Amino acid sequence: MPTCPGAVLDQLRAGHQRFLDGHSLHPHSDRLRMLEVEAGQSPVAAVLGCADSRVPVELLFDTGFGDLFVVRNAGTMSTVAAIASLEYAVSHLEVPVIVVLGHAACGAVAAAFDRELSLTPSLAQVVGQLRMELFSLGGEDNLEEACRHHTLNAARNLVDSSVMLTDRLRSGRLQVEAAYYNLHTTSIEWMGAVMAMPQG
Ligand SMILES: [Zn+2]
């Protein structure tokens, strides 16, 4: 099992390339593998993604049981629950990589454009946060740009909300990568590593 961030990212990129080439191996997807990891998990990476049914993280990286620690919610939001889950993956399961995987045509981001939408209180909280992000983007009505901007924001917010993740980043034991999934090409574009805020 690779443990340095670079090797893990190479493994994820290779799995995604197999998927793109139509040569997915569907590793670790049978009952036997499940029994292997029954006693304990040691996933190679953690992923924060959207709940959207078109973004099945394990399939996109050609992985199976016990390989990825996946946190998904509508809009790929760095909520308290998401941050806590990822902190657990890093501090207890020692994952060296977190991928924040946003995607094109995200319904949560699209909802932020629509002022007429009637929302439940919980949805209004999520969409309200996305509206604030759009506001900082300059109010342009460009869903693609907004989805990309939000992916980078989610990754930035994740790191900036956690002392533990920031410490790990600074010590080089963790890498946080923003990535963007294009529904049409089905390919993942790597947007770059998130750096820890300078100290002091
Ligand atoms: Zn989405």
Side-chain angles (χ1 to χ4, degrees), residues 49-55 73-77 101-114 117 126-127 130 134 142-148 150-151 180-183:
C50 185
D52 193 306
S53 61
R54 301 164 296 178
V55 194
N73 58 47
T76 317
M77 305 297 287
L101 182 63
H103 71 103
C106 183
V109 179
F113 283 111
D114 188 349
L117 269 186
V126 170
V127 173
L130 288 163
L134 290 185
N142 184 329
L143 180 59
E144 170 75 14
E145 198 188 328
C147 288
R148 286 173 171 279
H150 170 62
T151 303
Y180 188 75
Y181 171 55
N182 182 316
L183 297 185

PDB file of all heavy atoms in Angstrom, residues 49-55 73-77 101-114 117 126-127 130 134 142-148 150-151 180-183:
ATOM      1  N   GLY A  49     -16.925  14.467  -1.935  1.00  0.00           N
ATOM      2  CA  GLY A  49     -17.584  14.623  -3.229  1.00  0.00           C
ATOM      3  C   GLY A  49     -19.038  15.032  -3.073  1.00  0.00           C
ATOM      4  O   GLY A  49     -19.524  15.238  -1.951  1.00  0.00           O
ATOM      5  N   CYS A  50     -19.715  15.153  -4.198  1.00  0.00           N
ATOM      6  CA  CYS A  50     -21.129  15.518  -4.200  1.00  0.00           C
ATOM      7  C   CYS A  50     -21.986  14.254  -4.120  1.00  0.00           C
ATOM      8  O   CYS A  50     -21.591  13.187  -4.587  1.00  0.00           O
ATOM      9  CB  CYS A  50     -21.471  16.300  -5.464  1.00  0.00           C
ATOM     10  SG  CYS A  50     -23.177  16.910  -5.479  1.00  0.00           S
ATOM     11  N   ALA A  51     -23.179  14.401  -3.543  1.00  0.00           N
ATOM     12  CA  ALA A  51     -24.105  13.267  -3.446  1.00  0.00           C
ATOM     13  C   ALA A  51     -24.710  12.900  -4.799  1.00  0.00           C
ATOM     14  O   ALA A  51     -25.331  11.846  -4.947  1.00  0.00           O
ATOM     15  CB  ALA A  51     -25.224  13.608  -2.467  1.00  0.00           C
ATOM     16  N   ASP A  52     -24.506  13.752  -5.791  1.00  0.00           N
ATOM     17  CA  ASP A  52     -25.047  13.537  -7.143  1.00  0.00           C
ATOM     18  C   ASP A  52     -24.796  12.092  -7.606  1.00  0.00           C
ATOM     19  O   ASP A  52     -23.675  11.584  -7.531  1.00  0.00           O
ATOM     20  CB  ASP A  52     -24.359  14.538  -8.094  1.00  0.00           C
ATOM     21  CG  ASP A  52     -25.056  14.621  -9.441  1.00  0.00           C
ATOM     22  OD1 ASP A  52     -25.244  13.563 -10.091  1.00  0.00           O
ATOM     23  OD2 ASP A  52     -25.403  15.742  -9.861  1.00  0.00           O
ATOM     24  N   SER A  53     -25.856  11.456  -8.097  1.00  0.00           N
ATOM     25  CA  SER A  53     -25.766  10.034  -8.481  1.00  0.00           C
ATOM     26  C   SER A  53     -24.844   9.800  -9.674  1.00  0.00           C
ATOM     27  O   SER A  53     -24.461   8.667  -9.963  1.00  0.00           O
ATOM     28  CB  SER A  53     -27.167   9.508  -8.818  1.00  0.00           C
ATOM     29  OG  SER A  53     -27.706  10.239  -9.911  1.00  0.00           O
ATOM     30  N   ARG A  54     -24.469  10.885 -10.345  1.00  0.00           N
ATOM     31  CA  ARG A  54     -23.586  10.737 -11.507  1.00  0.00           C
ATOM     32  C   ARG A  54     -22.111  10.862 -11.131  1.00  0.00           C
ATOM     33  O   ARG A  54     -21.254  10.853 -12.013  1.00  0.00           O
ATOM     34  CB  ARG A  54     -23.951  11.794 -12.558  1.00  0.00           C
ATOM     35  CG  ARG A  54     -25.394  11.687 -13.041  1.00  0.00           C
ATOM     36  CD  ARG A  54     -25.847  12.930 -13.759  1.00  0.00           C
ATOM     37  NE  ARG A  54     -25.873  14.091 -12.880  1.00  0.00           N
ATOM     38  CZ  ARG A  54     -26.197  15.324 -13.267  1.00  0.00           C
ATOM     39  NH1 ARG A  54     -26.516  15.543 -14.531  1.00  0.00           N
ATOM     40  NH2 ARG A  54     -26.200  16.324 -12.406  1.00  0.00           N
ATOM     41  N   VAL A  55     -21.849  10.949  -9.833  1.00  0.00           N
ATOM     42  CA  VAL A  55     -20.455  11.080  -9.383  1.00  0.00           C
ATOM     43  C   VAL A  55     -20.097   9.941  -8.414  1.00  0.00           C
ATOM     44  O   VAL A  55     -19.767  10.178  -7.249  1.00  0.00           O
ATOM     45  CB  VAL A  55     -20.218  12.454  -8.705  1.00  0.00           C
ATOM     46  CG1 VAL A  55     -18.715  12.730  -8.566  1.00  0.00           C
ATOM     47  CG2 VAL A  55     -20.865  13.593  -9.503  1.00  0.00           C
ATOM     48  N   ASN A  73     -21.965  14.812   0.084  1.00  0.00           N
ATOM     49  CA  ASN A  73     -23.187  15.534   0.428  1.00  0.00           C
ATOM     50  C   ASN A  73     -23.565  16.414  -0.760  1.00  0.00           C
ATOM     51  O   ASN A  73     -22.747  16.646  -1.649  1.00  0.00           O
ATOM     52  CB  ASN A  73     -23.002  16.362   1.713  1.00  0.00           C
ATOM     53  CG  ASN A  73     -21.881  17.367   1.613  1.00  0.00           C
ATOM     54  OD1 ASN A  73     -21.760  18.095   0.634  1.00  0.00           O
ATOM     55  ND2 ASN A  73     -21.034  17.438   2.628  1.00  0.00           N
ATOM     56  N   ALA A  74     -24.809  16.888  -0.781  1.00  0.00           N
ATOM     57  CA  ALA A  74     -25.251  17.710  -1.900  1.00  0.00           C
ATOM     58  C   ALA A  74     -24.410  18.983  -1.952  1.00  0.00           C
ATOM     59  O   ALA A  74     -24.353  19.737  -0.972  1.00  0.00           O
ATOM     60  CB  ALA A  74     -26.727  18.053  -1.753  1.00  0.00           C
ATOM     61  N   GLY A  75     -23.707  19.181  -3.067  1.00  0.00           N
ATOM     62  CA  GLY A  75     -22.936  20.408  -3.263  1.00  0.00           C
ATOM     63  C   GLY A  75     -21.474  20.324  -2.863  1.00  0.00           C
ATOM     64  O   GLY A  75     -20.771  21.326  -2.911  1.00  0.00           O
ATOM     65  N   THR A  76     -20.992  19.121  -2.469  1.00  0.00           N
ATOM     66  CA  THR A  76     -19.577  19.002  -2.050  1.00  0.00           C
ATOM     67  C   THR A  76     -19.247  20.098  -1.030  1.00  0.00           C
ATOM     68  O   THR A  76     -18.351  20.928  -1.215  1.00  0.00           O
ATOM     69  CB  THR A  76     -18.612  19.119  -3.267  1.00  0.00           C
ATOM     70  OG1 THR A  76     -19.141  18.364  -4.356  1.00  0.00           O
ATOM     71  CG2 THR A  76     -17.213  18.618  -2.953  1.00  0.00           C
ATOM     72  N   MET A  77     -20.002  20.121   0.059  1.00  0.00           N
ATOM     73  CA  MET A  77     -19.843  21.184   1.046  1.00  0.00           C
ATOM     74  C   MET A  77     -18.895  20.752   2.175  1.00  0.00           C
ATOM     75  O   MET A  77     -18.988  19.631   2.676  1.00  0.00           O
ATOM     76  CB  MET A  77     -21.201  21.537   1.664  1.00  0.00           C
ATOM     77  CG  MET A  77     -22.283  21.919   0.664  1.00  0.00           C
ATOM     78  SD  MET A  77     -21.908  23.399  -0.288  1.00  0.00           S
ATOM     79  CE  MET A  77     -22.128  24.678   0.953  1.00  0.00           C
ATOM     80  N   LEU A 101     -13.597  16.587  -4.691  1.00  0.00           N
ATOM     81  CA  LEU A 101     -14.025  16.332  -6.068  1.00  0.00           C
ATOM     82  C   LEU A 101     -15.338  17.063  -6.381  1.00  0.00           C
ATOM     83  O   LEU A 101     -16.425  16.576  -6.067  1.00  0.00           O
ATOM     84  CB  LEU A 101     -14.185  14.823  -6.266  1.00  0.00           C
ATOM     85  CG  LEU A 101     -14.586  14.338  -7.659  1.00  0.00           C
ATOM     86  CD1 LEU A 101     -13.515  14.698  -8.687  1.00  0.00           C
ATOM     87  CD2 LEU A 101     -14.817  12.820  -7.646  1.00  0.00           C
ATOM     88  N   GLY A 102     -15.217  18.226  -6.980  1.00  0.00           N
ATOM     89  CA  GLY A 102     -16.407  18.936  -7.447  1.00  0.00           C
ATOM     90  C   GLY A 102     -16.801  18.430  -8.824  1.00  0.00           C
ATOM     91  O   GLY A 102     -16.125  17.578  -9.398  1.00  0.00           O
ATOM     92  N   HIS A 103     -17.894  18.948  -9.353  1.00  0.00           N
ATOM     93  CA  HIS A 103     -18.286  18.482 -10.686  1.00  0.00           C
ATOM     94  C   HIS A 103     -19.103  19.520 -11.440  1.00  0.00           C
ATOM     95  O   HIS A 103     -19.675  20.447 -10.839  1.00  0.00           O
ATOM     96  CB  HIS A 103     -19.062  17.159 -10.587  1.00  0.00           C
ATOM     97  CG  HIS A 103     -20.430  17.300 -10.010  1.00  0.00           C
ATOM     98  ND1 HIS A 103     -21.571  17.286 -10.774  1.00  0.00           N
ATOM     99  CD2 HIS A 103     -20.848  17.470  -8.731  1.00  0.00           C
ATOM    100  CE1 HIS A 103     -22.630  17.424  -9.992  1.00  0.00           C
ATOM    101  NE2 HIS A 103     -22.223  17.540  -8.744  1.00  0.00           N
ATOM    102  N   ALA A 104     -19.157  19.328 -12.741  1.00  0.00           N
ATOM    103  CA  ALA A 104     -19.925  20.220 -13.622  1.00  0.00           C
ATOM    104  C   ALA A 104     -21.421  20.010 -13.389  1.00  0.00           C
ATOM    105  O   ALA A 104     -21.845  18.943 -12.941  1.00  0.00           O
ATOM    106  CB  ALA A 104     -19.568  19.925 -15.077  1.00  0.00           C
ATOM    107  N   ALA A 105     -22.200  21.031 -13.702  1.00  0.00           N
ATOM    108  CA  ALA A 105     -23.667  20.955 -13.630  1.00  0.00           C
ATOM    109  C   ALA A 105     -24.160  20.509 -12.264  1.00  0.00           C
ATOM    110  O   ALA A 105     -25.112  19.723 -12.149  1.00  0.00           O
ATOM    111  CB  ALA A 105     -24.198  20.016 -14.715  1.00  0.00           C
ATOM    112  N   CYS A 106     -23.506  21.004 -11.223  1.00  0.00           N
ATOM    113  CA  CYS A 106     -23.906  20.629  -9.856  1.00  0.00           C
ATOM    114  C   CYS A 106     -25.247  21.303  -9.518  1.00  0.00           C
ATOM    115  O   CYS A 106     -25.385  22.525  -9.600  1.00  0.00           O
ATOM    116  CB  CYS A 106     -22.836  21.041  -8.859  1.00  0.00           C
ATOM    117  SG  CYS A 106     -23.236  20.516  -7.176  1.00  0.00           S
ATOM    118  N   GLY A 107     -26.219  20.483  -9.129  1.00  0.00           N
ATOM    119  CA  GLY A 107     -27.559  21.002  -8.858  1.00  0.00           C
ATOM    120  C   GLY A 107     -27.588  21.991  -7.702  1.00  0.00           C
ATOM    121  O   GLY A 107     -28.367  22.955  -7.711  1.00  0.00           O
ATOM    122  N   ALA A 108     -26.737  21.767  -6.693  1.00  0.00           N
ATOM    123  CA  ALA A 108     -26.698  22.661  -5.534  1.00  0.00           C
ATOM    124  C   ALA A 108     -26.192  24.039  -5.948  1.00  0.00           C
ATOM    125  O   ALA A 108     -26.721  25.068  -5.508  1.00  0.00           O
ATOM    126  CB  ALA A 108     -25.812  22.070  -4.439  1.00  0.00           C
ATOM    127  N   VAL A 109     -25.167  24.053  -6.810  1.00  0.00           N
ATOM    128  CA  VAL A 109     -24.629  25.330  -7.288  1.00  0.00           C
ATOM    129  C   VAL A 109     -25.664  26.012  -8.192  1.00  0.00           C
ATOM    130  O   VAL A 109     -25.888  27.221  -8.098  1.00  0.00           O
ATOM    131  CB  VAL A 109     -23.282  25.130  -8.025  1.00  0.00           C
ATOM    132  CG1 VAL A 109     -22.744  26.466  -8.530  1.00  0.00           C
ATOM    133  CG2 VAL A 109     -22.255  24.466  -7.105  1.00  0.00           C
ATOM    134  N   ALA A 110     -26.313  25.224  -9.031  1.00  0.00           N
ATOM    135  CA  ALA A 110     -27.351  25.778  -9.925  1.00  0.00           C
ATOM    136  C   ALA A 110     -28.485  26.395  -9.104  1.00  0.00           C
ATOM    137  O   ALA A 110     -29.026  27.447  -9.469  1.00  0.00           O
ATOM    138  CB  ALA A 110     -27.895  24.687 -10.848  1.00  0.00           C
ATOM    139  N   ALA A 111     -28.822  25.762  -7.973  1.00  0.00           N
ATOM    140  CA  ALA A 111     -29.896  26.273  -7.120  1.00  0.00           C
ATOM    141  C   ALA A 111     -29.552  27.658  -6.571  1.00  0.00           C
ATOM    142  O   ALA A 111     -30.442  28.484  -6.327  1.00  0.00           O
ATOM    143  CB  ALA A 111     -30.152  25.300  -5.971  1.00  0.00           C
ATOM    144  N   ALA A 112     -28.250  27.901  -6.392  1.00  0.00           N
ATOM    145  CA  ALA A 112     -27.820  29.197  -5.859  1.00  0.00           C
ATOM    146  C   ALA A 112     -28.122  30.344  -6.829  1.00  0.00           C
ATOM    147  O   ALA A 112     -28.235  31.493  -6.430  1.00  0.00           O
ATOM    148  CB  ALA A 112     -26.330  29.155  -5.535  1.00  0.00           C
ATOM    149  N   PHE A 113     -28.260  30.012  -8.112  1.00  0.00           N
ATOM    150  CA  PHE A 113     -28.576  31.030  -9.120  1.00  0.00           C
ATOM    151  C   PHE A 113     -30.061  31.390  -9.125  1.00  0.00           C
ATOM    152  O   PHE A 113     -30.455  32.422  -9.646  1.00  0.00           O
ATOM    153  CB  PHE A 113     -28.215  30.526 -10.533  1.00  0.00           C
ATOM    154  CG  PHE A 113     -26.748  30.558 -10.840  1.00  0.00           C
ATOM    155  CD1 PHE A 113     -26.026  29.394 -10.987  1.00  0.00           C
ATOM    156  CD2 PHE A 113     -26.089  31.779 -11.012  1.00  0.00           C
ATOM    157  CE1 PHE A 113     -24.677  29.422 -11.290  1.00  0.00           C
ATOM    158  CE2 PHE A 113     -24.747  31.821 -11.312  1.00  0.00           C
ATOM    159  CZ  PHE A 113     -24.027  30.635 -11.455  1.00  0.00           C
ATOM    160  N   ASP A 114     -30.875  30.476  -8.594  1.00  0.00           N
ATOM    161  CA  ASP A 114     -32.324  30.610  -8.729  1.00  0.00           C
ATOM    162  C   ASP A 114     -32.947  31.216  -7.479  1.00  0.00           C
ATOM    163  O   ASP A 114     -33.170  30.535  -6.475  1.00  0.00           O
ATOM    164  CB  ASP A 114     -32.921  29.216  -9.006  1.00  0.00           C
ATOM    165  CG  ASP A 114     -34.401  29.292  -9.355  1.00  0.00           C
ATOM    166  OD1 ASP A 114     -35.005  30.374  -9.174  1.00  0.00           O
ATOM    167  OD2 ASP A 114     -34.936  28.262  -9.799  1.00  0.00           O
ATOM    168  N   LEU A 117     -36.499  29.839  -6.010  1.00  0.00           N
ATOM    169  CA  LEU A 117     -36.661  28.500  -5.448  1.00  0.00           C
ATOM    170  C   LEU A 117     -37.217  28.559  -4.033  1.00  0.00           C
ATOM    171  O   LEU A 117     -36.806  29.384  -3.228  1.00  0.00           O
ATOM    172  CB  LEU A 117     -35.302  27.801  -5.383  1.00  0.00           C
ATOM    173  CG  LEU A 117     -34.863  26.950  -6.562  1.00  0.00           C
ATOM    174  CD1 LEU A 117     -33.560  26.250  -6.191  1.00  0.00           C
ATOM    175  CD2 LEU A 117     -35.924  25.922  -6.920  1.00  0.00           C
ATOM    176  N   VAL A 126     -27.543  25.516   2.957  1.00  0.00           N
ATOM    177  CA  VAL A 126     -26.529  25.093   1.984  1.00  0.00           C
ATOM    178  C   VAL A 126     -26.502  26.050   0.794  1.00  0.00           C
ATOM    179  O   VAL A 126     -25.447  26.547   0.399  1.00  0.00           O
ATOM    180  CB  VAL A 126     -26.821  23.643   1.500  1.00  0.00           C
ATOM    181  CG1 VAL A 126     -25.933  23.280   0.325  1.00  0.00           C
ATOM    182  CG2 VAL A 126     -26.634  22.660   2.644  1.00  0.00           C
ATOM    183  N   VAL A 127     -27.678  26.316   0.261  1.00  0.00           N
ATOM    184  CA  VAL A 127     -27.750  27.166  -0.934  1.00  0.00           C
ATOM    185  C   VAL A 127     -27.329  28.602  -0.594  1.00  0.00           C
ATOM    186  O   VAL A 127     -26.691  29.281  -1.395  1.00  0.00           O
ATOM    187  CB  VAL A 127     -29.174  27.109  -1.540  1.00  0.00           C
ATOM    188  CG1 VAL A 127     -29.336  28.116  -2.668  1.00  0.00           C
ATOM    189  CG2 VAL A 127     -29.466  25.692  -2.056  1.00  0.00           C
ATOM    190  N   LEU A 130     -23.658  28.835  -0.782  1.00  0.00           N
ATOM    191  CA  LEU A 130     -23.230  28.849  -2.191  1.00  0.00           C
ATOM    192  C   LEU A 130     -23.513  30.213  -2.827  1.00  0.00           C
ATOM    193  O   LEU A 130     -22.723  30.692  -3.645  1.00  0.00           O
ATOM    194  CB  LEU A 130     -23.927  27.723  -2.961  1.00  0.00           C
ATOM    195  CG  LEU A 130     -23.402  26.324  -2.621  1.00  0.00           C
ATOM    196  CD1 LEU A 130     -24.360  25.246  -3.078  1.00  0.00           C
ATOM    197  CD2 LEU A 130     -22.026  26.102  -3.246  1.00  0.00           C
ATOM    198  N   LEU A 134     -20.980  32.732  -4.854  1.00  0.00           N
ATOM    199  CA  LEU A 134     -21.261  33.309  -6.177  1.00  0.00           C
ATOM    200  C   LEU A 134     -21.102  34.820  -6.130  1.00  0.00           C
ATOM    201  O   LEU A 134     -20.585  35.437  -7.064  1.00  0.00           O
ATOM    202  CB  LEU A 134     -22.690  32.969  -6.615  1.00  0.00           C
ATOM    203  CG  LEU A 134     -22.988  31.533  -6.975  1.00  0.00           C
ATOM    204  CD1 LEU A 134     -24.409  31.413  -7.511  1.00  0.00           C
ATOM    205  CD2 LEU A 134     -22.005  31.021  -8.011  1.00  0.00           C
ATOM    206  N   ASN A 142     -22.677  32.183 -14.733  1.00  0.00           N
ATOM    207  CA  ASN A 142     -21.964  31.145 -15.465  1.00  0.00           C
ATOM    208  C   ASN A 142     -21.820  29.919 -14.560  1.00  0.00           C
ATOM    209  O   ASN A 142     -20.987  29.889 -13.656  1.00  0.00           O
ATOM    210  CB  ASN A 142     -20.585  31.692 -15.876  1.00  0.00           C
ATOM    211  CG  ASN A 142     -19.806  30.708 -16.721  1.00  0.00           C
ATOM    212  OD1 ASN A 142     -19.946  29.497 -16.565  1.00  0.00           O
ATOM    213  ND2 ASN A 142     -18.990  31.230 -17.620  1.00  0.00           N
ATOM    214  N   LEU A 143     -22.669  28.915 -14.824  1.00  0.00           N
ATOM    215  CA  LEU A 143     -22.710  27.742 -13.942  1.00  0.00           C
ATOM    216  C   LEU A 143     -21.379  26.997 -13.925  1.00  0.00           C
ATOM    217  O   LEU A 143     -20.905  26.564 -12.873  1.00  0.00           O
ATOM    218  CB  LEU A 143     -23.852  26.810 -14.372  1.00  0.00           C
ATOM    219  CG  LEU A 143     -24.021  25.540 -13.533  1.00  0.00           C
ATOM    220  CD1 LEU A 143     -24.271  25.871 -12.063  1.00  0.00           C
ATOM    221  CD2 LEU A 143     -25.157  24.679 -14.075  1.00  0.00           C
ATOM    222  N   GLU A 144     -20.780  26.842 -15.103  1.00  0.00           N
ATOM    223  CA  GLU A 144     -19.502  26.121 -15.202  1.00  0.00           C
ATOM    224  C   GLU A 144     -18.439  26.801 -14.326  1.00  0.00           C
ATOM    225  O   GLU A 144     -17.760  26.150 -13.524  1.00  0.00           O
ATOM    226  CB  GLU A 144     -19.067  26.093 -16.677  1.00  0.00           C
ATOM    227  CG  GLU A 144     -17.650  25.599 -16.940  1.00  0.00           C
ATOM    228  CD  GLU A 144     -17.492  24.085 -16.795  1.00  0.00           C
ATOM    229  OE1 GLU A 144     -18.530  23.395 -16.743  1.00  0.00           O
ATOM    230  OE2 GLU A 144     -16.340  23.622 -16.717  1.00  0.00           O
ATOM    231  N   GLU A 145     -18.336  28.099 -14.483  1.00  0.00           N
ATOM    232  CA  GLU A 145     -17.331  28.840 -13.709  1.00  0.00           C
ATOM    233  C   GLU A 145     -17.630  28.762 -12.212  1.00  0.00           C
ATOM    234  O   GLU A 145     -16.731  28.619 -11.382  1.00  0.00           O
ATOM    235  CB  GLU A 145     -17.309  30.308 -14.181  1.00  0.00           C
ATOM    236  CG  GLU A 145     -16.044  31.037 -13.784  1.00  0.00           C
ATOM    237  CD  GLU A 145     -16.128  32.529 -14.087  1.00  0.00           C
ATOM    238  OE1 GLU A 145     -16.802  32.894 -15.080  1.00  0.00           O
ATOM    239  OE2 GLU A 145     -15.555  33.302 -13.327  1.00  0.00           O
ATOM    240  N   ALA A 146     -18.928  28.838 -11.884  1.00  0.00           N
ATOM    241  CA  ALA A 146     -19.329  28.778 -10.477  1.00  0.00           C
ATOM    242  C   ALA A 146     -19.016  27.409  -9.874  1.00  0.00           C
ATOM    243  O   ALA A 146     -18.569  27.314  -8.725  1.00  0.00           O
ATOM    244  CB  ALA A 146     -20.823  29.074 -10.355  1.00  0.00           C
ATOM    245  N   CYS A 147     -19.230  26.336 -10.627  1.00  0.00           N
ATOM    246  CA  CYS A 147     -18.947  24.981 -10.130  1.00  0.00           C
ATOM    247  C   CYS A 147     -17.449  24.808  -9.868  1.00  0.00           C
ATOM    248  O   CYS A 147     -17.039  24.213  -8.868  1.00  0.00           O
ATOM    249  CB  CYS A 147     -19.426  23.919 -11.122  1.00  0.00           C
ATOM    250  SG  CYS A 147     -21.217  23.761 -11.203  1.00  0.00           S
ATOM    251  N   ARG A 148     -16.639  25.344 -10.770  1.00  0.00           N
ATOM    252  CA  ARG A 148     -15.182  25.266 -10.596  1.00  0.00           C
ATOM    253  C   ARG A 148     -14.738  26.082  -9.384  1.00  0.00           C
ATOM    254  O   ARG A 148     -13.951  25.618  -8.557  1.00  0.00           O
ATOM    255  CB  ARG A 148     -14.467  25.819 -11.837  1.00  0.00           C
ATOM    256  CG  ARG A 148     -14.515  24.899 -13.017  1.00  0.00           C
ATOM    257  CD  ARG A 148     -13.951  25.585 -14.258  1.00  0.00           C
ATOM    258  NE  ARG A 148     -13.814  24.604 -15.310  1.00  0.00           N
ATOM    259  CZ  ARG A 148     -12.779  23.764 -15.397  1.00  0.00           C
ATOM    260  NH1 ARG A 148     -11.772  23.835 -14.559  1.00  0.00           N
ATOM    261  NH2 ARG A 148     -12.741  22.863 -16.358  1.00  0.00           N
ATOM    262  N   HIS A 150     -16.469  26.906  -6.849  1.00  0.00           N
ATOM    263  CA  HIS A 150     -16.933  26.273  -5.615  1.00  0.00           C
ATOM    264  C   HIS A 150     -16.042  25.101  -5.210  1.00  0.00           C
ATOM    265  O   HIS A 150     -15.796  24.871  -4.018  1.00  0.00           O
ATOM    266  CB  HIS A 150     -18.382  25.809  -5.744  1.00  0.00           C
ATOM    267  CG  HIS A 150     -18.790  24.956  -4.592  1.00  0.00           C
ATOM    268  ND1 HIS A 150     -18.802  25.438  -3.283  1.00  0.00           N
ATOM    269  CD2 HIS A 150     -19.115  23.642  -4.509  1.00  0.00           C
ATOM    270  CE1 HIS A 150     -19.139  24.453  -2.478  1.00  0.00           C
ATOM    271  NE2 HIS A 150     -19.330  23.360  -3.189  1.00  0.00           N
ATOM    272  N   THR A 151     -15.570  24.333  -6.185  1.00  0.00           N
ATOM    273  CA  THR A 151     -14.696  23.197  -5.869  1.00  0.00           C
ATOM    274  C   THR A 151     -13.437  23.687  -5.146  1.00  0.00           C
ATOM    275  O   THR A 151     -13.035  23.122  -4.113  1.00  0.00           O
ATOM    276  CB  THR A 151     -14.297  22.468  -7.173  1.00  0.00           C
ATOM    277  OG1 THR A 151     -15.492  22.064  -7.845  1.00  0.00           O
ATOM    278  CG2 THR A 151     -13.428  21.258  -6.892  1.00  0.00           C
ATOM    279  N   TYR A 180     -11.934  18.232 -10.519  1.00  0.00           N
ATOM    280  CA  TYR A 180     -13.205  18.627 -11.134  1.00  0.00           C
ATOM    281  C   TYR A 180     -13.620  17.582 -12.169  1.00  0.00           C
ATOM    282  O   TYR A 180     -12.885  17.278 -13.104  1.00  0.00           O
ATOM    283  CB  TYR A 180     -13.007  19.984 -11.810  1.00  0.00           C
ATOM    284  CG  TYR A 180     -14.267  20.616 -12.338  1.00  0.00           C
ATOM    285  CD1 TYR A 180     -15.190  21.192 -11.480  1.00  0.00           C
ATOM    286  CD2 TYR A 180     -14.508  20.670 -13.707  1.00  0.00           C
ATOM    287  CE1 TYR A 180     -16.342  21.790 -11.965  1.00  0.00           C
ATOM    288  CE2 TYR A 180     -15.660  21.271 -14.205  1.00  0.00           C
ATOM    289  CZ  TYR A 180     -16.569  21.830 -13.326  1.00  0.00           C
ATOM    290  OH  TYR A 180     -17.700  22.426 -13.816  1.00  0.00           O
ATOM    291  N   TYR A 181     -14.807  17.047 -11.957  1.00  0.00           N
ATOM    292  CA  TYR A 181     -15.300  15.965 -12.814  1.00  0.00           C
ATOM    293  C   TYR A 181     -16.241  16.543 -13.868  1.00  0.00           C
ATOM    294  O   TYR A 181     -17.236  17.194 -13.542  1.00  0.00           O
ATOM    295  CB  TYR A 181     -16.007  14.939 -11.936  1.00  0.00           C
ATOM    296  CG  TYR A 181     -16.769  13.866 -12.659  1.00  0.00           C
ATOM    297  CD1 TYR A 181     -16.163  13.057 -13.615  1.00  0.00           C
ATOM    298  CD2 TYR A 181     -18.105  13.636 -12.353  1.00  0.00           C
ATOM    299  CE1 TYR A 181     -16.878  12.066 -14.260  1.00  0.00           C
ATOM    300  CE2 TYR A 181     -18.824  12.641 -12.986  1.00  0.00           C
ATOM    301  CZ  TYR A 181     -18.205  11.864 -13.941  1.00  0.00           C
ATOM    302  OH  TYR A 181     -18.912  10.883 -14.579  1.00  0.00           O
ATOM    303  N   ASN A 182     -15.915  16.298 -15.125  1.00  0.00           N
ATOM    304  CA  ASN A 182     -16.717  16.769 -16.255  1.00  0.00           C
ATOM    305  C   ASN A 182     -17.689  15.663 -16.661  1.00  0.00           C
ATOM    306  O   ASN A 182     -17.270  14.586 -17.106  1.00  0.00           O
ATOM    307  CB  ASN A 182     -15.763  17.123 -17.416  1.00  0.00           C
ATOM    308  CG  ASN A 182     -16.502  17.669 -18.622  1.00  0.00           C
ATOM    309  OD1 ASN A 182     -17.540  17.137 -19.023  1.00  0.00           O
ATOM    310  ND2 ASN A 182     -15.963  18.721 -19.217  1.00  0.00           N
ATOM    311  N   LEU A 183     -18.976  15.900 -16.483  1.00  0.00           N
ATOM    312  CA  LEU A 183     -19.980  14.853 -16.731  1.00  0.00           C
ATOM    313  C   LEU A 183     -19.970  14.386 -18.182  1.00  0.00           C
ATOM    314  O   LEU A 183     -20.275  13.228 -18.468  1.00  0.00           O
ATOM    315  CB  LEU A 183     -21.384  15.375 -16.391  1.00  0.00           C
ATOM    316  CG  LEU A 183     -21.674  15.776 -14.951  1.00  0.00           C
ATOM    317  CD1 LEU A 183     -23.141  16.129 -14.807  1.00  0.00           C
ATOM    318  CD2 LEU A 183     -21.288  14.689 -13.975  1.00  0.00           C
TER     319      LEU A 183
END
